[in-house]
Amino acid sequence: MSSTMDVDPPTTQMIQINLSTRDPTLSIPLQPLRIPTNLKRYGLSTLVNHLLDTPKPIPFDFLVDGQYLRTSIDEYLTLAGLSSEKPLDVEYVRSQLPPTYVGSFEQDDWISSVDISSSPSPTILTGSFNGTAQITSLSGEILAKTVPMHTQSIKCTTWISHSSTEASFLTAGLDRTINLWSYTPSQSPDTQPVTPSTTYISHKSTITSLSYSPSTSQFLSSSSDHTIALWSTDSSLLPTVSTPQSTAFTRKRRRTTSKPPATIKKGPLAVLTPHAAPVSQVLHSNDPTAAYSISWDKSIITHDLITSQPVSTRTTNHPLLSVTTLPTLSLLAAGSSARHITLHDPRESSKTIYTAVLRGHANGVVSLVNSPESEYVFASGSHDGTVRIWDVRSVSSSDGDEGEGKSGSSLFVIKRESGSGKVFGVDWSKDVGLVSVGEDKKIQVNRGEGMADMEVMDQSK
Amino acid sequence: MTTKATTRKRSRAEAEAEKPVLSSEDEFEIPEINGDEDSSDDSDFTAGDEDSDEEEEISSGAEDEEDEEEIDSDEIPSEDETSPKGNGVANDDASDDEEASPADNVKVVTGADGNPRYIYPEIEPVYDSDDTDAEETNTVGNIPLEYYENYPHIGYDINGKRIMRPAAGKALDTLLDSIELPKGWTGLVDKNSGAALNLTEEELEIVKKLQRSEITDEGFDPYPDMVEWFSSKVEQMPLSSAPEPKRRFVPSKHEQKRIMKIVRGIREGRILPHKPQAETSQEPEFYDIWADDAPPKPDHVMNIPAPKLPPPTHDESYNPPPEYLPNDKEKKEWEEQDPEDREKNYLPRTHKALRLVPGFNGFIGERFERCLDLYLAPRVRRNKLNIDPASLLPKLPSPDDLKPFPTTCATVYRGHEGRVRSVAADPTGVWVATGGDDGTVRVWEILTGRQVWKLKVSSDEAVDSVTWRPTTEGRILAAACGNEILLVVPPIFDFEEENQGKEILSAGYGYAANRQGKKEAPGTWSKPDTALEEEGVVVTITMRKTVKYIAWHRRGDYLVTVSPEDVRRAVCIHRVSTHLSQTPFKEKSVTKGIPQRVQFHPSKPLLFVATKRYIKIYDLAKAELSKTLKPGARWISSIDIHPQGDNLIVGSYDKRLLWHDLDLSTKPYRTLRYHDKGIRAVSFHRGGFPLFCSSSDDGTVQVFHGRIYSDLMENALIVPLKVLKGHKITAHLGVLDVDWHPKQPWLFSAGADGTARLWN
């Protein structure tokens, strides 16, 4: 010990570090290491790769006290006011490389929602404010476009099934209806690839979100009329309803209603009305019989879909606009109109309202999506025109104005390549990358360059 | 014995010097005298001090001249001895040596009578050579001389020697003396000296004067010159015969005045004639200037206590810590400084013990300076209140504690060409409607800022006011464009709601038909043309003049409009269910002034009419004026009533935002002057948040916290929260209208820059 201390302190000061990770595939035996403090991320990454004896080096990032190490250890110690005498706990994670701009595909109106289907081929389903949905290939080719079935904007779209021969998806929006579309990919461009099959009618106001659970073949819709409707893709289970009509036909409506083909009109399996304000999003949990819904009335409600009853209500301080689950961590991330993302533990046993508050957005957070690669990472799209990538490990205790919990900041910020405009939807898949749509009428695709390496890594295992 | 001899010799010498004849006579008569002496002792008055021994010698001398000579020769040394004795030194041996030499100086001459005559040398006139003036005083005291009758002496001198009785004259002498009496002879013997007591010249003169019955006083003139008072030449009379003046008899007016003054004082009680003597004060006669603390002086404006000297500090200690001791440079600097410029009038010094501390030589000067300071420096008692100005401010809660309230611009609604005149949020909280100068009414999705519906009402006239019907059923939007009021059901809602709204609006057509032929109504209800009807307009009401403002009644059946240009029918109430318009105030004189805004009370049947200067509250049930508020503003631009109905905010073009508590007075409870330019619109939040806001031509919207307590004794709490900046000022116009989201703490503003904004 003393001999190491004597070794020329000014140039190579040593520090003891305890390396740890939460990823079991990358764990190394716990052993205290003494390393020079002038090491940076790259040096540490090399060290870990050496310890793991990986065939191909994996880039690692290092978290110290919930903060990514962006400087040398020495500078970090100086900044944090820590002594090099004390051992430092360092957590290493697979490096999340900054997603770089790949390209963007323009449409003719604002795009409200995006959903990516990876198999059999990566395709992007987008819903537009002009009332049409569009299927775009990764190369930017418009594979299909829906007929203007919706008289007003589409607000949400979701794939139900996607195979090489047949696919179906749902769209819903301002005109209070949900349409089920069937899509046959491999058709000649002359024929209509997308045909509406069923129209689901229940909501009295804008439908804000759809959530499909493949295991139960059920989907949920949330609406601004404070309700959540439970539907099934099996039309035989649903009651048939008649289309309400306006007494006075407007010219526009006459024009639109004349065109679309007749569809089956179906009512919901159940209508849930636990909220007192427009419901912003509803989301199936891991368990397909449970769902989470968030609303402008600031509450997160867990629903039991079998009984259609709310299980638990968690009230926050701000109107909530978006939600996503981090299933392995038992966490919910909720984006609020108060420009931040809060992490909640939805379990009943949890006492605290907030686990952490992530700040950085300058406007309401309207879309959240999990990372396909890491259970700790998710992305958020906001009306401030940025997409941010967050790591729930990168939170540190601080006295935020929420009074409790921890706060964190984003890993990366992706700006709109077109300059400005709100982001209305984000989706993230391994094949396509991070796709965001917004007011600039563009589908913007960003990719992290490290992803390929990880694929290789996974395959090697 | 020696003294005796000298006296005798001296008297003899004197006699020889002055009266040689007599001396011879004396010598001649000596034996006889001696003989007489023996016989009569009583007559020895005139003799000096004599001893019995001297008597013997004299007698022996008288007996034999030779003896006398011997004796005299013997006595001469003794006579010499007297001078040393007078000097206080006695030496027998010396006197023995000197005996021979003076004896040699004596010349014996045969006198005329044949007897040897001793001629002594001249006495050298040196000091102490003669003591004839030394008075011999008898020291026996006050005892009768008779006690010494049987002794040759009559007492003792100061040296304890006997004073011999003067030789008494013989009978012959007495006779001779009686024949030839000396002047002033009295025949008496001096008691002390035993000599004849004679009168002096002066005493004799007095005796003579007494004999002549004259005044013995010397200088007395028994015959002075006559002063001529009243003679033949001078006629002066020391006494006057004038009659006594009257004033001697009349009582003095002046005295009477003084007395009356006192009498008046007594009567009025100012003077107490028999006032008991004031108790002698218990204070000590002398002021104890060394007392530790002076008694506190009575509080008086002129009594300003001297400022206290600061307590001594470390460097005034006799042994200060070393850091207080000046170094050489500082010392030098201090010494070079002018005494007046010195910060301290001493240099800190260290002493080993307190007893080694020298006196402070500048003490007097320092006290003097202090006294000068106290006397000369003006001391003024200031009536300044020592109050921290911050403490006078009301304790307002921090804005952070009053969250949530709008802070940032979330959405900008772009699309209007020209100013956005009016903004109104849908009761469901999903849509927001705007009306602008381009003659369009637009409805927007709140969060995304997407325009979902647009109605072009007019190409040349502006939409001045849009407002939603404040009920949950039937989404009806009222818009004022020019002199038309449009009641619209925008086709963005559920078909049920849409149809409901249309039914509500169309229900009155039957009533309108029945009313044909009645007197002219202020507004004409009519169906819109097809183009407008297809867009959702159900009814248009055509007024005579431009409608500037629309307000709904809470139940949604009535709406009240203001058209300030129509002098007689400025305020008009429309009933949706019967398609009826009427003016509540027939005459202009009722409102007295051009109405600016009107509002229904949120719960009571009251109508608030804001004219330029006053707000009049009319009771619609009783059809009378119930109250007039006087905000004091020059030109009221807008009013809004608190959802609970007891408070009112008023915005005015003279930059003031006034809060009226209707329970308090007709004057504003609070005046808020935060805007730089005139206020265009004010609004209360109606969804449960204690918020209100004002928008102004300075391009800002200011958000306030306005909490009202259910306790009637507690006044409303008003806290300025946030200034929302974002709207650009276009042609001196800023933010023209504001409205709150019905549920959320979100604020909509309509700007002259062609945008509407959402703040959250």
Side-chain angles (χ1 to χ4, degrees), chain B residues 615 617 627-631 646-648 659-670 715:
Chain B
I615 295 160
I617 305 168
K627 201 174 188 181
T628 302
L629 301 179
K630 293 163 184 160
D646 285 338
N647 292 272
L648 180 78
W659 177 292
H660 273 277
D661 192 329
L662 298 182
D663 293 336
L664 290 180
S665 108
T666 57
K667 297 281 189 300
Y669 157 64
R670 187 68 62 81
N715 285 329

Coordinates of all heavy atoms in Angstrom, one line a residue, chain B residues 615 617 627-631 646-648 659-670 715:
Chain B
I615 N -69.2 50.8 -12.4 CA -69.8 49.5 -12.6 C -71.1 49.4 -11.8 O -71.2 49.7 -10.6 CB -68.8 48.3 -12.1 CG1 -67.6 48.3 -12.9 CG2 -69.5 47.0 -12.2 CD1 -66.4 47.7 -12.2
I617 N -74.5 47.5 -10.8 CA -75.1 46.2 -10.6 C -76.6 46.3 -10.5 O -77.1 47.0 -9.7 CB -74.5 45.6 -9.3 CG1 -73.0 45.6 -9.3 CG2 -75.0 44.1 -9.1 CD1 -72.3 45.3 -8.0
K627 N -76.4 48.5 -6.8 CA -75.2 49.0 -6.3 C -74.4 49.6 -7.5 O -74.5 49.2 -8.6 CB -74.4 47.9 -5.7 CG -73.3 48.3 -4.7 CD -72.7 47.1 -4.0 CE -71.8 47.6 -2.9 NZ -71.1 46.4 -2.3
T628 N -73.6 50.6 -7.1 CA -72.7 51.2 -8.1 C -71.3 51.2 -7.5 O -71.1 51.7 -6.4 CB -73.1 52.7 -8.4 OG1 -74.4 52.7 -8.9 CG2 -72.2 53.2 -9.5
L629 N -70.4 50.5 -8.3 CA -69.0 50.5 -7.8 C -68.3 51.6 -8.5 O -68.5 51.9 -9.7 CB -68.4 49.1 -8.2 CG -69.1 47.9 -7.7 CD1 -68.3 46.7 -8.2 CD2 -69.0 47.9 -6.2
K630 N -67.4 52.2 -7.7 CA -66.5 53.3 -8.3 C -65.1 52.9 -8.2 O -64.4 53.1 -7.2 CB -66.8 54.5 -7.4 CG -68.2 55.1 -7.6 CD -68.5 56.0 -6.5 CE -70.0 56.5 -6.7 NZ -70.5 57.0 -5.4
P631 N -64.6 52.2 -9.2 CA -63.2 51.8 -9.2 C -62.2 52.9 -9.2 O -61.1 52.8 -8.8 CB -63.1 50.9 -10.4 CG -64.5 50.7 -10.9 CD -65.2 51.9 -10.5
D646 N -68.6 37.1 -5.1 CA -68.4 38.2 -4.1 C -67.3 39.2 -4.4 O -67.1 40.1 -3.7 CB -68.2 37.7 -2.7 CG -69.5 37.1 -2.2 OD1 -70.6 37.5 -2.7 OD2 -69.5 36.3 -1.3
N647 N -66.6 38.8 -5.5 CA -65.4 39.7 -5.8 C -65.4 39.9 -7.3 O -65.9 39.2 -8.1 CB -64.1 39.0 -5.4 CG -64.0 38.9 -3.9 OD1 -63.5 39.8 -3.3 ND2 -64.4 37.8 -3.3
L648 N -64.8 41.0 -7.6 CA -64.8 41.5 -9.0 C -63.4 42.1 -9.3 O -62.8 42.8 -8.5 CB -65.9 42.6 -9.1 CG -66.1 43.3 -10.4 CD1 -67.0 42.3 -11.3 CD2 -66.9 44.5 -10.2
W659 N -59.3 45.3 -7.7 CA -60.0 44.2 -7.1 C -61.1 44.8 -6.2 O -60.8 45.5 -5.2 CB -59.0 43.3 -6.3 CG -59.7 42.2 -5.5 CD1 -60.5 42.3 -4.4 CD2 -59.5 40.8 -5.8 NE1 -60.9 41.0 -4.0 CE2 -60.3 40.1 -4.8 CE3 -58.8 40.1 -6.7 CZ2 -60.4 38.7 -4.8 CZ3 -58.9 38.7 -6.7 CH2 -59.7 38.0 -5.7
H660 N -62.3 44.4 -6.5 CA -63.4 44.9 -5.7 C -63.9 43.8 -4.8 O -64.2 42.7 -5.4 CB -64.5 45.4 -6.6 CG -64.4 46.8 -7.0 ND1 -64.8 47.8 -6.1 CD2 -63.9 47.4 -8.1 CE1 -64.5 49.0 -6.8 NE2 -64.0 48.7 -7.9
D661 N -64.1 44.0 -3.6 CA -64.8 43.1 -2.8 C -66.2 43.6 -2.6 O -66.4 44.7 -2.1 CB -64.1 42.9 -1.4 CG -64.7 41.7 -0.6 OD1 -65.9 41.4 -0.8 OD2 -63.9 41.1 0.1
L662 N -67.2 42.9 -3.2 CA -68.5 43.5 -3.2 C -69.1 43.6 -1.8 O -70.1 44.4 -1.6 CB -69.5 42.6 -4.1 CG -69.0 42.5 -5.5 CD1 -70.0 41.6 -6.3 CD2 -68.9 43.8 -6.2
D663 N -68.6 42.9 -0.8 CA -69.1 43.0 0.5 C -68.5 44.3 1.2 O -69.1 44.7 2.2 CB -68.7 41.8 1.3 CG -69.5 40.6 0.8 OD1 -70.5 40.8 0.2 OD2 -69.0 39.5 1.1
L664 N -67.4 44.8 0.7 CA -66.8 45.8 1.5 C -67.3 47.2 1.1 O -68.1 47.8 1.8 CB -65.3 45.8 1.2 CG -64.6 44.6 1.9 CD1 -63.1 44.6 1.6 CD2 -64.8 44.6 3.4
S665 N -66.9 47.7 0.0 CA -67.3 49.1 -0.3 C -67.4 49.3 -1.8 O -67.1 48.3 -2.6 CB -66.3 50.0 0.3 OG -65.5 50.6 -0.7
T666 N -67.7 50.4 -2.2 CA -67.8 50.7 -3.6 C -66.4 51.1 -4.2 O -66.2 51.2 -5.4 CB -68.7 51.9 -3.9 OG1 -68.3 53.0 -3.1 CG2 -70.1 51.5 -3.4
K667 N -65.4 51.2 -3.3 CA -64.1 51.5 -3.7 C -63.3 50.2 -3.8 O -63.6 49.2 -3.1 CB -63.4 52.4 -2.7 CG -64.1 53.8 -2.5 CD -63.6 54.7 -3.7 CE -64.1 56.1 -3.4 NZ -65.6 56.3 -3.3
P668 N -62.3 50.2 -4.6 CA -61.6 48.9 -4.7 C -60.9 48.5 -3.5 O -60.4 49.4 -2.7 CB -60.5 49.2 -5.9 CG -60.7 50.6 -6.3 CD -61.8 51.2 -5.5
Y669 N -60.8 47.2 -3.2 CA -60.1 46.7 -2.1 C -58.6 46.7 -2.3 O -57.8 47.0 -1.4 CB -60.6 45.3 -1.8 CG -59.6 44.4 -1.0 CD1 -59.3 44.7 0.3 CD2 -59.0 43.3 -1.6 CE1 -58.4 43.9 1.0 CE2 -58.1 42.5 -0.9 CZ -57.8 42.8 0.4 OH -56.9 42.1 1.0
R670 N -58.2 46.5 -3.5 CA -56.8 46.5 -3.9 C -56.6 47.0 -5.3 O -57.4 46.7 -6.2 CB -56.3 45.0 -3.8 CG -54.8 44.9 -3.9 CD -54.0 45.5 -2.8 NE -54.3 44.9 -1.5 CZ -53.7 43.7 -1.1 NH1 -52.9 43.1 -1.8 NH2 -54.0 43.2 0.1
N715 N -59.7 39.1 4.6 CA -59.7 39.7 3.2 C -59.0 38.8 2.2 O -58.3 37.9 2.6 CB -59.0 41.0 3.2 CG -59.9 42.1 3.9 OD1 -61.1 42.0 3.8 ND2 -59.3 43.0 4.5

